[in-house]
Amino acid sequence: GIAQGNDPMHFSKIGDCQNIRQYFLGLFDKTGTYRLGDQYEYLQETIDHFSGNWYRKSEAVRTGFNVASVLAPLHADPENCQPGETPLACEFRIWNPAFAIISMETWSSEQPVSSYENYLRQIVDFAISKNVMPILATKADNLEGDHAINQINARLAADYDIPLWNFWAATDPLTDHGLMEDLFHLTNGPNNYDDPKSLDLAWPVRNLAGLLLVDEVWKSVR
């Protein structure tokens, strides 16, 4: 990937409303919006290294997106994307990432989960074809009732031998599993990682876990 022009200092986000920059990882491009504390102070090096990635607007992230949307040219931004280009292809062309975090929580209950798996495989196949390392993520909620979406993500990560970010495991110990009354939206609060109250809320934990993920990937390959 690096040999063909992918940038080792770039990563992309692919996802729905739980991945928009205002909530997910964008704070790390803004001073005064987080406290690492002594335990996580070492992560500042990673924050600095990937400066400009955190708050960047991804062409493959939008409220309402799902695994099918990012593969449909109809949903690409015409101002930034080429005619007939999918949001996923557009994002990779513009940013040339070395790896991509794929976090897709939204799926219609009217559609079979087998369709979700089919589209997700297409996303992973496309990333690999561009020599971009895909990282699949589980979700905190279980709106489908049988954890089918998380099982698909785990199964595909095993099938392709690619990293799995188990966000579900990170939220499992939290109060109410880190979910609000609608059992979908995440509990929120300040991103102060030296405060136990913050570490019992899902959004601060999501940002910290996402940062730890990027740190682990970078330090494993550099």
Side-chain angles (χ1 to χ4, degrees):
I2 293 173
Q4 75 177 22
N6 295 350
D7 194 325
M9 295 179 67
H10 286 183
F11 67 86
S12 287
K13 292 178 279 185
I14 302 166
D16 51 26
C17 60
Q18 293 197 16
N19 300 275
I20 59 175
R21 57 184 178 165
Q22 291 86 348
Y23 286 95
F24 183 48
L25 297 182
L27 69 153
F28 296 123
D29 264 334
K30 298 181 178 182
T31 57
T33 58
Y34 61 91
R35 291 204 315 255
L36 294 177
D38 293 340
Q39 182 177 356
Y40 298 109
E41 185 178 4
Y42 72 95
L43 293 171
Q44 188 63 49
E45 179 188 12
T46 300
I47 293 172
D48 295 340
H49 179 81
F50 288 99
S51 175
N53 283 267
W54 309 107
Y55 196 70
R56 177 184 166 272
K57 182 180 179 181
S58 170
E59 297 295 333
V61 170
R62 193 181 306 164
T63 298
F65 263 11
N66 57 36
V67 285
S69 303
V70 296
L71 297 168
L74 176 66
H75 295 288
D77 185 348
E79 293 187 6
N80 299 323
C81 303
Q82 298 174 349
E85 195 172 44
T86 68
L88 180 62
C90 179
E91 169 65 12
F92 283 2
R93 176 182 57 82
I94 290 174
W95 196 234
N96 296 317
F99 59 99
I101 302 171
I102 304 168
S103 178
M104 288 290 189
E105 290 80 8
T106 306
W107 189 243
S108 172
S109 59
E110 300 175 358
Q111 298 293 325
V113 292
S114 59
S115 296
Y116 177 97
E117 181 170 354
N118 176 56
Y119 287 121
L120 185 59
R121 284 187 182 274
Q122 292 182 52
I123 294 172
V124 172
D125 285 338
F126 182 81
I128 292 174
S129 75
K130 297 298 182 181
N131 291 313
V132 176
M133 185 177 71
I135 301 170
L136 297 178
T138 61
K139 61 192 181 83
D141 74 80
N142 181 34
L143 290 183
E144 67 274 23
D146 59 358
H147 296 286
I149 300 299
N150 281 346
Q151 290 177 26
I152 288 171
N153 278 278
R155 181 166 64 250
L156 263 62
D159 287 351
Y160 286 91
D161 193 22
I162 56 177
L164 177 73
W165 173 30
N166 194 350
F167 179 59
W168 183 91
T171 59
D172 187 42
L174 307 183
T175 299
D176 297 325
H177 198 69
L179 298 172
M180 299 181 70
E181 291 183 2
D182 61 4
L183 301 181
F184 174 73
H185 289 96
L186 305 178
T187 52
N188 202 357
N191 292 275
N192 298 330
Y193 305 131
D194 54 357
D195 184 354
K197 293 182 179 179
S198 290
L199 294 175
D200 191 41
L201 298 170
W203 266 116
V205 168
R206 181 169 176 79
N207 282 305
L208 176 60
L211 174 59
L212 287 165
L213 168 66
V214 173
D215 177 77
E216 179 69 20
V217 171
W218 175 45
K219 292 179 179 177
S220 294
V221 302
R222 65 177 177 174

